[in-house]
Amino acid sequence: MTQRDSIREKLGLLHKNVYIHVGSFGVAKNHDFLITLFKSVYDKDPHAKLLLLGDGELKQMISQKTQLLGLSSS
């Protein structure tokens, strides 16, 4: 097993499409659009995962939007 597969297995992400975004949760990064876009990906692939890494003033709002769209566990 490769190191990549080992890490994905530890995170429960083995054999899943994983999308990663790294950046501060601010207006310039447009997380609102990213979540809307990921919703359409998720509708086609319910096993897909989106990892958002960062912090900022809009983090709470983005968290609420993911809950509203049923994406919290994704």
Side-chain angles (χ1 to χ4, degrees):
M1 180 178 282
T2 66
Q3 182 179 8
R4 175 186 178 269
D5 289 343
S6 177
I7 292 169
R8 287 173 69 102
E9 184 177 46
K10 287 178 187 176
L11 296 174
L13 301 173
L14 196 59
H15 307 297
K16 295 182 178 162
N17 290 323
V18 179
Y19 304 89
I20 301 171
H21 180 273
V22 179
S24 61
F25 284 77
V27 175
K29 299 296 180 178
N30 204 0
H31 286 85
D32 189 54
F33 174 74
L34 180 62
I35 297 300
T36 302
L37 181 64
F38 180 72
K39 174 66 171 153
S40 63
V41 170
Y42 178 79
D43 288 343
K44 294 176 183 169
D45 179 7
H47 298 289
K49 300 292 182 184
L50 174 63
L51 303 178
L52 300 174
L53 307 173
D55 202 4
E57 72 267 7
L58 299 179
K59 189 172 184 177
Q60 177 82 22
M61 184 198 73
I62 296 303
S63 178
Q64 290 171 350
K65 182 168 182 167
T66 60
Q67 290 174 5
L68 181 70
L69 294 176
L71 299 172
S72 294
S73 63
S74 294

